[in-house]
Amino acid sequence: MSKGSLDAPAKPVNSLTHEVHSEDVAPLQVLSPEGEVINPDYMPDLTDEQLKEVMYRMVFTRAWDDRAINLGRQGRLGFYAPVSGQEGTMVGSEYALTKEDFVCPGYRDMPQIVWHGLPMYQAFLYSRGHQHGGQIPEGVNVLMPQIIIGAQILHATGIAMGFKLKGEKRVAITYTGDGGSSEGDFYEGLNYAGSFKLPVIYFVQNNGYAITTPFAKQTGAQSIAHKALAAGIRGLQIDGMDVLAVIYAVQQAAAIARDGGGATLIEALTYRFRPHSMSDDATKYRTKEEEQEWSLRDPLIRFGKFLEAKGLWSDEDTARVREEAKNAVNEHIKKAEQTEKMTVAGLIDSMFENTPAHLEEQKADFQ
Amino acid sequence: MAQMNMIEAIKDAMRVELRRDQNVLIFGEDVGHVGGVFRATEGLQAEFGENRVFDTPLAESAIGGLAVGLGTQGFRPIAEIQFVGFIYEALDQMFVQAARLRFRSGGRYNAPIVFRTPFGGGVKAAELHTDSLEGLAIQTPGIKVIVPSNPYDAKGLLISAIRDNDPVFFMEHLNLYRAFRDEVPEGEYTVPIGKANIVREGADVTIIAYGLMVHTAKKAADELAKEGINAEIIDLRTLMPLDIETIVESLKKTNRAIVVQEAQKTSGAAAEVIAQINEKAILHLEAPVLRVAGPDTVYPFAQIEDTWLPTPARIVKAAKQVLEF
């Protein structure tokens, strides 16, 4: 299997102005909040159809989140981490990759793995604690959502090493938040990627809060992107409410990684419009003013304005996609609810390839 | 057949599997060029190259996480944790991420990983180098635990572990690495995981042990034999899954047992053995089953470890206690 090499010589790294080299960093943007192109140099190379597809996915994801909140309140979804506000980072970063690339999500990153190919009803089953939720179909290159903050960072690092050893031009991407960037696993992963020059993208969605703890209390570093410097990998900061900036940055990072240039840490500044989870009350730690300010940077509004100006999107499109999403969610939650419940016997048999005698015996207590 | 000590047998197992299966990888701290602090991988990088056997930066959690990631891509990692106490840094990756991967993915992914680590006292090593942490592992669902007591078993069990599609915690007793040589076959052979071994037959009392304590138990059995007491010794070899059948069969004959472990007395392997004896063989017992173990303290590295660790004398005393009950 080993066709690549762990010590392949590095190719020159492309230069990005928003790469971190010093104390100062300004987030990479393509669009202004009004949807005007302010940095044409960073405009990703997308056809009109592709631009519309990105918008479709963002609108769909927002409507899915709206519906999921209701399902959560009805007790039909289990644990759910809202995503509204982060559609730019979630949809854009996944869209920038190929289906052969590998996604290692945190628990909030359901949209990425669903857009990467996991059937939505399985995402719902995962939330509901059903094992079938984690039975990723063959050919879908994702891991299950990770609960231990940062553990997936190391898995992506290992997966990227596997790609490199096999000589495959594939990339692994992993997600965490501003809180996750304080974990030991975060530093260990970045450092390994630097040491082995691995094709991996560490994508940090800095939404300002680790549950309730504000970013100001999370680190003394100038930015999360700066943490790349110590690991010897590329680091850049981007405006996560600008989906075109996200796509550009991830496409660049992926191209560099495929080319043997190693890993990139991308810090995307974003905001979750909703609470951390269904049992969290964001009014206890965020002000109305702050929420208002961020709502003006809504990634759907910004990208929508851009597309409307090009005649590619309208309110009718949004209404149509929202309806489509609502129907899809309803269909998939029904399918999740109709999936046969797990059994303890089945659970026991899923612990090892061959169930040992003592576990076989323990089944008897549940029959 | 070759004569090998345990470290040579362990290296030979890895060499056999590196040759047989190109997906087998070895990595960890200092395992590459030099071959590890105990030379368990000496020469393997030279033979198989830096893409198969390599040094990692010093970070145990990352060693574990790297193994989990590589395992999802068809590789079979042998991850060395340099000393047993350093597994504390890797517990999430070993005991959560690797051990739960099959469950979490409903069988879509698995973790065919061997976590090798030296452990065990009596060698005057530094703090946290010689603890016995198998108890943490046996309580963790989804990971197997192997503790060989001799070169032959070490090679055969390690080959089984490398071929196993589930994670294995493979604990190598420091005091056995170069203690003695055994006849060890060249090439491939396996010792099955989950099968204990009767290393000495006797009818009066069963001494259940693993790792170095098998040898301490043998010394005790020699002492007992001088007084006409014939002890049977069971080498557990695998702690998870546990071969309770062999234990029960022995108890049908001896009706008396003691369990010897280096680890602290409370919970752990000995407690589990006794719990299962209670469930499956209580009517064969003529006396309570006793534990000979370390006290429930921190492991006292170097200074007083020889008195802290179970001795033949303590085993003899416990054996007599159950015989005289």
Side-chain angles (χ1 to χ4, degrees):
Chain A
M1 205 184 250
S2 300
K3 290 182 199 128
S5 168
L6 286 183
D7 50 9
K11 300 219 171 149
V13 171
N14 296 2
S15 156
L16 271 183
T17 57
H18 299 278
E19 227 175 298
V20 174
H21 290 298
S22 66
E23 277 192 14
D24 298 321
V25 63
L28 184 155
Q29 283 182 323
V30 178
L31 299 177
S32 71
E34 290 70 42
E36 291 150 354
V37 177
I38 48 176
N39 280 311
D41 289 353
Y42 305 138
M43 177 64 78
D45 187 17
L46 298 174
T47 65
D48 286 354
E49 280 315 301
Q50 288 173 318
L51 290 169
K52 281 161 72 176
E53 174 65 17
V54 171
M55 187 62 184
Y56 171 90
R57 292 184 182 196
M58 290 208 295
V59 172
F60 190 107
T61 303
R62 175 70 56 87
W64 160 16
D65 194 54
D66 292 344
R67 185 79 190 111
I69 299 294
N70 287 331
L71 291 172
R73 290 204 180 106
Q74 294 163 25
R76 293 169 70 189
L77 199 53
F79 176 78
Y80 182 72
V83 303
S84 286
Q86 299 185 204
E87 294 91 343
T89 52
M90 290 173 163
V91 168
S93 59
E94 192 282 331
Y95 191 78
L97 297 171
T98 74
K99 293 295 176 218
E100 292 309 304
D101 296 324
F102 209 103
V103 179
C104 299
Y107 51 78
R108 198 181 304 281
D109 305 307
M110 290 290 190
Q112 293 95 307
I113 57 175
V114 168
W115 290 117
H116 212 60
L118 181 73
M120 187 188 266
Y121 85 97
Q122 286 190 262
F124 293 157
L125 281 173
Y126 173 82
S127 293
R128 292 161 62 94
H130 195 300
Q131 258 182 318
H132 182 48
Q135 278 175 324
I136 313 297
E138 281 292 332
V140 176
N141 293 303
V142 305
L143 284 186
M144 301 69 66
Q146 181 57 241
I147 295 295
I148 300 294
I149 311 290
Q152 73 277 16
I153 293 169
L154 297 176
H155 302 159
T157 308
I159 288 165
M161 180 181 274
F163 294 159
K164 184 163 183 172
L165 284 172
K166 290 191 248 183
E168 297 177 345
K169 296 275 179 206
R170 297 164 73 188
V171 172
I173 189 169
T174 184
Y175 297 89
T176 193
D178 35 317
S181 75
S182 297
E183 288 279 3
D185 281 355
F186 176 84
Y187 293 98
E188 293 191 15
L190 265 58
N191 186 57
Y192 268 49
S195 174
F196 291 109
K197 235 176 175 58
L198 299 177
V200 56
I201 300 169
Y202 301 104
F203 196 102
V204 177
Q205 296 174 86
N206 179 354
N207 65 18
Y209 295 87
I211 306 191
T212 71
T213 305
F215 179 59
K217 292 185 180 174
Q218 200 61 245
T219 180
Q222 178 80 14
S223 76
I224 292 172
H226 277 84
K227 297 185 180 187
L229 282 175
I233 66 172
R234 293 172 70 244
L236 65 152
Q237 192 184 59
I238 64 173
D239 183 343
M241 306 305 257
D242 177 356
V243 70
L244 293 179
V246 174
I247 293 173
Y248 178 81
V250 175
Q251 280 182 341
Q252 279 279 328
I256 290 167
R258 285 186 227 287
D259 218 21
T264 300
L265 167 65
I266 298 174
E267 176 191 16
L269 303 178
T270 182
Y271 201 74
R272 62 170 155 74
F273 291 160
R274 294 191 154 123
H276 161 72
S277 71
M278 299 303 294
S279 49
D280 172 43
D281 177 5
T283 65
K284 290 210 185 310
Y285 55 89
R286 297 198 307 209
T287 63
K288 276 259 170 298
E289 294 69 37
E290 181 186 284
E291 292 185 357
Q292 183 62 29
E293 193 187 317
W294 275 97
S295 73
L296 297 175
R297 302 176 201 163
D298 189 325
L300 273 65
I301 294 174
R302 184 185 304 197
F303 191 51
K305 282 182 177 165
F306 167 75
L307 290 185
E308 279 163 28
K310 288 170 78 85
L312 295 175
W313 199 261
S314 66
D315 289 348
E316 291 73 46
D317 291 319
T318 296
R320 173 181 52 80
V321 175
R322 286 190 63 86
E323 188 62 19
E324 205 179 305
K326 201 176 122 191
N327 291 337
V329 172
N330 287 346
E331 185 191 317
H332 282 278
I333 193 73
K334 211 173 286 171
K335 190 167 176 186
E337 286 171 338
Q338 285 166 355
T339 302
E340 204 176 334
K341 269 187 90 166
M342 287 169 60
T343 63
V344 175
L347 169 67
I348 284 173
D349 281 335
S350 72
M351 293 311 302
F352 295 100
E353 182 176 41
N354 301 305
T355 302
H358 71 285
L359 269 171
E360 201 61 62
E361 247 179 61
Q362 289 169 24
K363 274 188 201 167
D365 294 339
F366 301 92
Q367 277 160 359
Chain B
M1 229 183 281
Q3 287 279 326
M4 293 186 200
N5 64 27
M6 197 156 100
I7 202 92
E8 289 162 349
I10 285 166
K11 184 186 349 187
D12 200 44
M14 291 191 277
R15 181 183 284 121
V16 163
E17 290 305 283
L18 281 163
R19 273 190 196 142
R20 193 185 66 87
D21 183 349
Q22 60 172 347
N23 292 321
V24 173
L25 304 176
I26 295 176
F27 51 86
E29 293 153 8
D30 309 305
V31 304
H33 177 64
V34 166
V37 290
F38 294 101
R39 309 292 180 260
T41 54
E42 193 173 35
L44 297 182
Q45 188 180 68
E47 185 175 346
F48 297 97
E50 292 190 28
N51 288 337
R52 303 284 307 282
V53 181
F54 53 90
D55 291 325
T56 62
L58 200 163
E60 290 80 13
S61 184
I63 291 171
L66 202 67
V68 172
L70 284 163
T72 67
Q73 301 306 308
F75 291 96
R76 305 186 78 82
I78 304 171
E80 180 176 305
I81 304 293
Q82 195 163 63
F83 284 97
V84 69
F86 309 168
I87 74 162
Y88 284 122
E89 293 281 355
L91 281 193
D92 172 54
Q93 293 296 340
M94 292 172 65
F95 291 1
V96 179
Q97 306 302 334
R100 287 178 183 227
L101 191 59
R102 184 180 290 283
F103 156 76
R104 296 188 70 235
S105 66
R108 170 68 174 82
Y109 297 116
N110 61 301
I113 302 165
V114 183
F115 296 102
R116 286 183 47 243
T117 190
F119 84 107
V123 295
K124 305 273 185 282
E127 188 178 8
L128 281 161
H129 283 50
T130 47
D131 293 52
S132 294
L133 302 182
E134 62 275 18
L136 301 177
I138 61 176
Q139 212 201 3
T140 300
I143 189 164
K144 297 177 183 179
V145 185
I146 296 174
V147 190
S149 73
N150 61 69
Y152 176 89
D153 284 356
K155 179 176 171 184
L157 283 165
L158 184 52
I159 291 176
S160 293
I162 295 166
R163 295 179 185 181
D164 201 283
N165 285 327
D166 289 303
V168 176
F169 186 31
F170 196 88
M171 302 179 68
E172 304 163 4
H173 202 291
L174 280 162
N175 224 345
L176 291 174
Y177 270 160
R178 293 184 172 85
F180 58 95
R181 286 172 185 277
D182 246 1
E183 293 278 309
V184 176
E186 311 269 1
E188 296 182 32
Y189 69 90
T190 57
V191 171
I193 296 173
K195 281 303 286 176
N197 190 25
I198 296 171
V199 294
R200 178 188 176 115
E201 291 199 22
D204 298 329
V205 58
T206 302
I207 305 175
I208 301 157
Y210 55 95
L212 180 72
M213 287 301 111
V214 172
H215 303 279
T216 310
K218 281 180 184 169
K219 286 179 193 154
D222 289 343
E223 290 303 311
L224 289 165
K226 289 177 191 163
E227 301 180 40
I229 299 164
N230 288 316
E232 177 145 302
I233 300 175
I234 297 178
D235 176 359
L236 290 174
R237 299 201 286 203
T238 304
L239 301 181
M240 173 61 66
L242 188 71
D243 181 6
I244 189 66
E245 237 172 86
T246 297
I247 296 169
V248 171
E249 284 311 308
S250 176
L251 280 173
K252 284 181 184 168
K253 180 169 64 176
T254 63
N255 311 115
R256 289 173 167 84
I258 58 175
V259 192
V260 188
Q261 69 177 20
E262 235 178 275
Q264 289 78 356
K265 192 168 187 178
T266 297
S267 298
E272 180 55 29
V273 166
I274 294 171
Q276 292 198 30
I277 289 172
N278 171 56
E279 287 171 349
K280 292 179 194 296
I282 198 155
L283 294 178
H284 296 292
L285 291 180
E286 298 286 349
V289 181
L290 297 185
R291 281 174 289 184
V292 180
D296 290 334
T297 69
V298 164
Y299 183 79
F301 68 104
Q303 187 69 211
I304 50 165
E305 61 183 342
D306 291 340
T307 42
W308 189 92
L309 290 165
T311 56
R314 282 179 61 206
I315 296 171
V316 166
K317 190 177 160 201
K320 286 184 179 169
Q321 246 177 292
V322 298
L323 280 160
E324 289 158 13
F325 181 78

